Amino acid sequence: MTVDLISVDDVEAAAQAIAGSVVRTTVLPAVWAPGLHLKPESLQPVGSFKLRGATNAVSRLTPEQRARGVVTHSSGNHGQALAYAARVYGAPCVVVIPDTAPKIKIAAVRDIGAEILMVPPSRRAAEAQRLADERGLTLIPPYDHRDIIAGQGTVGLEILADCPDVEVVLVPVGGGGLASGVATAVKARRPEVKVFGVEPELAGDAHESLERGTLVNWDVADLVRTSADGLRVPLSELTFAHLKARLDGIITVTEAQIAAATARLVQRSRLVVEPSGAVASAAFLFRRDQMPQGRTVAVISGGNVDPAVLSVAATA
């Protein structure tokens, strides 16, 4: 099956569409880890990079589609982002959330004003589709959507602008939308820069898929083992095609390494970071042998962390 990939033109159009609605986060040096720079998407109004794709997608809906409303399925971050973007554009929003999601993320979606439906993790996509069909809502999935991928790719454009001498970019991988977009932008403008996805060993479906050269789906029961709850989702055919064409590889990290990186970011960079957001930094700290040496930017994808987890990271 041939998949139509997005282009850097799509990413640049998204950058124009979201300007003024999304924070342009600044690349920061990690003085405690020489050679490492951080792209803290945890500083977005909803605490994650997801606001970029959600805003781009909602901006492209017709007035009639906005009036009917939007629906998605999300463990929390995309749900918050879509609820926020929908509120800006005056569109009703429904979020289907797996019942394993952290309470802090559920509360945040509710506080923004979205309607919430809690379901078992294996039912999230099907329930979102059912609501779309029954109510005439527009389904905007977390990553399996060209406008979402293009919006997330604006992270890559900003990395190149703020750190023109970057040599390696590390990006968390769950469903693959962020890595697809970032790799598209970076490789189009600076093909010599190496872009690696990073995921937990306990949710290593993307790593296995790229090694085999075909999309491999892990059971939801396996994916939920990782503490990185934002990465407990499989790739889609669309994101796999992007990663296969444009990533230089996938690096996996252990749960202990994720916890250690989270603690380091909280304590040394004074950032609120969720485990999903720490995996790219964990690769730099513990898997340097699996990547080229050189100036590296690690994307911190989000900071919507359970207070108990943050407390442990702050005192570890």
Coordinates of all heavy atoms in Angstrom, one line a residue, residues 31-88:
V31 N 23.1 22.3 31.1 CA 24.5 22.5 31.5 C 25.0 21.3 32.3 O 26.2 21.2 32.3 CB 24.6 23.8 32.3 CG1 24.2 25.0 31.5 CG2 23.6 23.7 33.5
W32 N 24.2 20.5 32.8 CA 24.6 19.3 33.5 C 24.9 18.1 32.6 O 25.3 17.1 33.1 CB 23.5 18.9 34.5 CG 22.1 19.0 33.9 CD1 21.2 20.0 33.9 CD2 21.4 17.9 33.3 NE1 20.1 19.7 33.3 CE2 20.2 18.4 32.9 CE3 21.8 16.6 33.0 CZ2 19.2 17.6 32.2 CZ3 20.8 15.8 32.3 CH2 19.6 16.3 31.9
A33 N 24.6 18.2 31.3 CA 24.9 17.2 30.4 C 25.5 17.8 29.1 O 24.8 18.2 28.2 CB 23.7 16.4 30.0
P34 N 26.8 18.0 29.1 CA 27.5 18.7 28.0 C 27.1 18.1 26.6 O 27.1 16.9 26.5 CB 28.9 18.5 28.3 CG 29.0 18.4 29.8 CD 27.8 17.6 30.1
G35 N 26.7 19.0 25.7 CA 26.3 18.5 24.4 C 24.8 18.3 24.2 O 24.3 18.2 23.1
L36 N 24.1 18.4 25.3 CA 22.6 18.2 25.3 C 21.9 19.5 25.4 O 22.2 20.3 26.2 CB 22.2 17.3 26.4 CG 20.7 17.0 26.5 CD1 20.1 16.3 25.3 CD2 20.4 16.2 27.8
H37 N 20.9 19.7 24.5 CA 20.0 20.8 24.5 C 18.6 20.2 24.6 O 18.3 19.1 24.1 CB 20.1 21.7 23.3 CG 21.4 22.5 23.3 ND1 22.6 22.0 23.2 CD2 21.6 23.9 23.5 CE1 23.5 22.9 23.3 NE2 23.0 24.1 23.4
L38 N 17.7 21.0 25.2 CA 16.3 20.5 25.5 C 15.3 21.4 24.8 O 15.4 22.6 24.8 CB 16.0 20.5 27.0 CG 17.0 19.8 27.9 CD1 16.7 20.1 29.3 CD2 17.0 18.3 27.6
K39 N 14.3 20.8 24.2 CA 13.2 21.5 23.6 C 11.9 21.2 24.5 O 11.3 20.2 24.3 CB 12.9 21.0 22.1 CG 11.7 21.6 21.4 CD 11.9 23.0 21.1 CE 10.8 23.5 20.1 NZ 10.8 25.0 19.9
P40 N 11.6 22.1 25.4 CA 10.7 21.9 26.5 C 9.2 22.1 26.0 O 8.6 23.2 26.4 CB 11.1 22.8 27.6 CG 11.7 24.0 26.9 CD 12.3 23.4 25.6
E41 N 8.6 21.2 25.3 CA 7.2 21.4 24.9 C 6.3 21.2 26.1 O 5.1 21.5 26.0 CB 6.9 20.3 23.9 CG 7.5 20.7 22.5 CD 6.8 22.0 21.9 OE1 5.7 21.9 21.6 OE2 7.6 23.0 21.9
S42 N 6.8 20.8 27.3 CA 6.1 20.8 28.5 C 5.6 22.2 28.9 O 4.7 22.4 29.7 CB 6.9 20.2 29.6 OG 8.2 20.9 29.7
L43 N 6.2 23.3 28.3 CA 5.8 24.7 28.6 C 4.6 25.2 27.8 O 4.2 26.3 27.9 CB 7.0 25.6 28.4 CG 8.2 25.2 29.3 CD1 9.4 26.2 29.0 CD2 7.9 25.3 30.8
Q44 N 4.0 24.3 26.9 CA 2.8 24.7 26.2 C 1.7 24.9 27.2 O 1.7 24.4 28.3 CB 2.4 23.7 25.2 CG 3.4 23.5 24.0 CD 3.4 24.7 23.1 OE1 2.5 25.6 23.1 NE2 4.5 24.8 22.3
P45 N 0.7 25.7 26.8 CA -0.5 26.0 27.8 C -1.1 24.7 28.3 O -1.6 24.7 29.4 CB -1.4 26.8 26.9 CG -0.5 27.5 25.9 CD 0.6 26.6 25.6
V46 N -1.2 23.7 27.5 CA -1.8 22.4 27.9 C -0.7 21.4 28.3 O -1.0 20.2 28.5 CB -2.7 21.8 26.8 CG1 -3.8 22.7 26.5 CG2 -1.9 21.5 25.5
G47 N 0.5 21.8 28.4 CA 1.6 21.0 28.9 C 2.2 20.0 28.0 O 3.0 19.1 28.4
S48 N 1.9 20.1 26.7 CA 2.6 19.2 25.8 C 2.6 19.7 24.3 O 1.8 20.6 24.0 CB 1.9 17.8 25.8 OG 0.8 17.8 25.0
F49 N 3.4 19.1 23.5 CA 3.5 19.4 22.1 C 2.2 19.2 21.3 O 2.0 19.7 20.2 CB 4.5 18.6 21.4 CG 4.1 17.1 21.2 CD1 3.6 16.7 20.0 CD2 4.3 16.2 22.2 CE1 3.2 15.4 19.8 CE2 3.9 14.9 22.0 CZ 3.3 14.5 20.8
K50 N 1.3 18.4 21.9 CA 0.0 18.1 21.2 C -0.8 19.3 20.8 O -1.6 19.2 19.8 CB -0.8 17.2 22.1 CG -0.2 15.8 22.4 CD -0.3 14.9 21.2 CE 0.0 13.5 21.6 NZ -0.2 12.5 20.5
L51 N -0.6 20.4 21.4 CA -1.4 21.6 21.0 C -1.1 22.0 19.6 O -2.0 22.6 18.9 CB -1.0 22.8 22.0 CG -1.9 24.0 21.9 CD1 -3.4 23.7 22.0 CD2 -1.5 25.1 22.9
R52 N 0.1 21.8 19.1 CA 0.5 22.2 17.8 C -0.4 21.4 16.7 O -1.0 22.1 15.9 CB 2.0 21.8 17.5 CG 2.9 22.6 18.4 CD 4.3 22.1 18.2 NE 5.3 22.9 19.1 CZ 5.9 24.0 18.7 NH1 5.8 24.4 17.5 NH2 6.7 24.6 19.6
G53 N -0.4 20.1 16.8 CA -1.2 19.4 15.8 C -2.7 19.6 15.9 O -3.4 19.8 14.9
A54 N -3.2 19.7 17.2 CA -4.6 19.9 17.4 C -5.1 21.3 16.9 O -6.1 21.4 16.2 CB -4.9 19.8 18.9
T55 N -4.3 22.3 17.1 CA -4.6 23.6 16.6 C -4.6 23.7 15.1 O -5.5 24.3 14.5 CB -3.6 24.7 17.2 OG1 -3.7 24.6 18.6 CG2 -4.0 26.1 16.7
N56 N -3.6 23.1 14.5 CA -3.6 23.0 13.1 C -4.8 22.3 12.5 O -5.4 22.8 11.5 CB -2.3 22.3 12.6 CG -2.1 22.4 11.1 OD1 -2.2 23.5 10.5 ND2 -1.8 21.3 10.5
A57 N -5.1 21.2 13.1 CA -6.3 20.4 12.5 C -7.6 21.2 12.7 O -8.4 21.2 11.7 CB -6.4 19.1 13.3
V58 N -7.8 21.8 13.8 CA -9.1 22.5 14.1 C -9.1 23.7 13.2 O -10.2 24.1 12.7 CB -9.3 22.8 15.5 CG1 -10.5 23.7 15.7 CG2 -9.4 21.6 16.4
S59 N -8.0 24.4 13.0 CA -8.0 25.6 12.1 C -8.4 25.3 10.7 O -8.9 26.2 10.0 CB -6.6 26.2 12.1 OG -5.7 25.5 11.3
R60 N -8.3 24.0 10.3 CA -8.6 23.7 8.9 C -10.0 23.1 8.7 O -10.4 22.8 7.6 CB -7.6 22.6 8.4 CG -6.2 23.2 8.4 CD -5.1 22.3 7.8 NE -3.8 22.9 7.9 CZ -3.3 23.8 7.1 NH1 -4.1 24.2 6.0 NH2 -2.1 24.3 7.2
L61 N -10.8 23.1 9.8 CA -12.2 22.6 9.6 C -13.0 23.7 9.1 O -12.7 24.9 9.2 CB -12.7 22.2 11.0 CG -12.0 21.0 11.7 CD1 -12.7 20.8 13.1 CD2 -12.1 19.8 10.9
T62 N -14.1 23.3 8.4 CA -15.1 24.3 8.0 C -15.9 24.9 9.1 O -16.0 24.2 10.2 CB -16.0 23.7 6.9 OG1 -16.9 22.7 7.6 CG2 -15.3 23.0 5.8
P63 N -16.6 26.0 9.0 CA -17.4 26.5 10.1 C -18.5 25.5 10.4 O -18.9 25.4 11.6 CB -18.0 27.8 9.5 CG -17.0 28.3 8.5 CD -16.4 27.0 7.9
E64 N -19.0 24.8 9.5 CA -20.1 23.8 9.7 C -19.5 22.6 10.6 O -20.2 22.1 11.5 CB -20.6 23.2 8.4 CG -21.4 24.2 7.6 CD -20.5 25.2 6.9 OE1 -19.3 25.0 6.7 OE2 -21.0 26.3 6.4
Q65 N -18.3 22.2 10.3 CA -17.7 21.1 11.1 C -17.4 21.6 12.5 O -17.7 20.8 13.4 CB -16.4 20.7 10.4 CG -16.6 19.9 9.1 CD -15.3 19.6 8.4 OE1 -14.4 20.5 8.3 NE2 -15.1 18.3 8.0
R66 N -17.0 22.8 12.7 CA -16.7 23.3 14.0 C -18.0 23.4 14.8 O -18.1 23.1 16.0 CB -16.1 24.6 13.9 CG -14.6 24.6 13.4 CD -14.1 26.0 13.3 NE -12.9 26.0 12.5 CZ -12.4 27.1 11.9 NH1 -13.0 28.3 12.0 NH2 -11.3 27.0 11.2
A67 N -19.1 23.8 14.1 CA -20.4 23.9 14.8 C -20.9 22.5 15.3 O -21.5 22.5 16.4 CB -21.4 24.5 13.9
R68 N -20.7 21.5 14.5 CA -21.1 20.1 15.0 C -20.2 19.6 16.1 O -20.7 18.9 17.0 CB -21.1 19.2 13.8 CG -22.2 19.4 12.8 CD -22.3 18.3 11.8 NE -21.1 18.0 11.0 CZ -20.9 18.6 9.8 NH1 -21.8 19.4 9.3 NH2 -19.8 18.3 9.2
G69 N -18.9 19.9 16.1 CA -18.0 19.5 17.1 C -17.0 18.5 16.7 O -17.1 17.9 15.6
V70 N -16.1 18.2 17.6 CA -15.0 17.3 17.3 C -14.9 16.2 18.4 O -15.4 16.4 19.5 CB -13.6 18.0 17.2 CG1 -13.6 19.0 16.0 CG2 -13.3 18.7 18.5
V71 N -14.3 15.1 18.0 CA -14.1 14.0 19.0 C -12.8 13.4 18.8 O -12.2 13.4 17.7 CB -15.2 12.9 18.8 CG1 -15.2 12.3 17.5 CG2 -15.1 11.9 19.9
T72 N -12.2 12.9 19.9 CA -10.9 12.1 19.8 C -10.8 11.1 20.8 O -11.7 11.0 21.7 CB -9.7 13.1 19.9 OG1 -8.5 12.4 19.4 CG2 -9.5 13.6 21.3
H73 N -9.8 10.3 20.8 CA -9.5 9.3 21.8 C -8.0 9.7 22.3 O -7.2 9.9 21.4 CB -9.6 7.9 21.4 CG -8.8 7.5 20.2 ND1 -7.5 7.1 20.2 CD2 -9.1 7.6 18.9 CE1 -7.1 6.8 19.0 NE2 -8.0 7.2 18.1
S74 N -7.8 9.6 23.6 CA -6.5 10.1 24.1 C -6.3 9.7 25.5 O -7.2 9.6 26.3 CB -6.5 11.6 24.0 OG -5.4 12.2 24.7
S75 N -5.0 9.4 25.9 CA -4.7 9.1 27.2 C -4.6 10.4 28.1 O -4.4 10.3 29.3 CB -3.3 8.4 27.3 OG -2.3 9.2 26.8
G76 N -4.7 11.5 27.4 CA -4.8 12.8 28.2 C -4.2 14.0 27.4 O -4.9 15.0 27.3
N77 N -3.0 13.9 26.9 CA -2.4 15.1 26.3 C -3.0 15.6 25.1 O -3.3 16.8 24.9 CB -0.9 14.8 26.1 CG -0.1 14.8 27.3 OD1 -0.5 15.2 28.4 ND2 1.2 14.4 27.3
H78 N -3.3 14.7 24.1 CA -4.0 15.1 22.9 C -5.5 15.5 23.3 O -6.0 16.5 22.7 CB -4.1 14.0 21.9 CG -4.8 14.3 20.7 ND1 -4.4 15.3 19.8 CD2 -6.0 13.8 20.2 CE1 -5.3 15.4 18.8 NE2 -6.3 14.5 19.0
G79 N -6.1 14.9 24.2 CA -7.4 15.3 24.7 C -7.4 16.7 25.2 O -8.3 17.5 24.8
Q80 N -6.4 17.0 26.0 CA -6.3 18.4 26.5 C -6.1 19.4 25.4 O -6.7 20.5 25.3 CB -5.2 18.5 27.5 CG -5.4 17.8 28.8 CD -4.2 18.0 29.7 OE1 -3.8 19.1 30.0 NE2 -3.5 16.9 30.0
A81 N -5.2 19.0 24.4 CA -4.9 19.9 23.3 C -6.1 20.1 22.4 O -6.4 21.3 22.0 CB -3.7 19.3 22.5
L82 N -6.8 19.1 22.1 CA -8.0 19.3 21.2 C -9.1 20.0 21.9 O -9.7 20.9 21.3 CB -8.5 17.9 20.8 CG -9.6 18.0 19.7 CD1 -9.1 18.6 18.4 CD2 -10.2 16.6 19.4
A83 N -9.3 19.8 23.2 CA -10.3 20.5 24.0 C -9.9 22.0 24.0 O -10.8 22.9 23.8 CB -10.4 20.0 25.4
Y84 N -8.6 22.3 24.2 CA -8.2 23.7 24.2 C -8.4 24.4 22.8 O -8.9 25.5 22.7 CB -6.7 23.7 24.6 CG -6.1 25.1 24.8 CD1 -6.0 25.7 26.1 CD2 -5.6 25.9 23.7 CE1 -5.5 26.9 26.3 CE2 -5.1 27.1 23.9 CZ -5.0 27.6 25.2 OH -4.4 28.9 25.4
A85 N -7.9 23.7 21.8 CA -8.1 24.3 20.4 C -9.5 24.4 20.0 O -9.9 25.4 19.4 CB -7.4 23.4 19.4
A86 N -10.4 23.4 20.4 CA -11.8 23.5 20.1 C -12.4 24.7 20.8 O -13.3 25.4 20.2 CB -12.5 22.2 20.5
R87 N -12.1 24.9 22.1 CA -12.6 26.0 22.8 C -12.2 27.4 22.1 O -13.1 28.3 22.1 CB -12.1 26.0 24.3 CG -12.8 27.0 25.2 CD -12.4 26.9 26.6 NE -11.0 27.2 26.8 CZ -10.3 27.2 28.0 NH1 -11.0 26.7 29.0 NH2 -9.1 27.5 28.1
V88 N -11.0 27.5 21.7 CA -10.6 28.7 21.0 C -11.4 29.0 19.8 O -11.8 30.1 19.5 CB -9.1 28.6 20.6 CG1 -8.7 29.7 19.6 CG2 -8.2 28.6 21.8

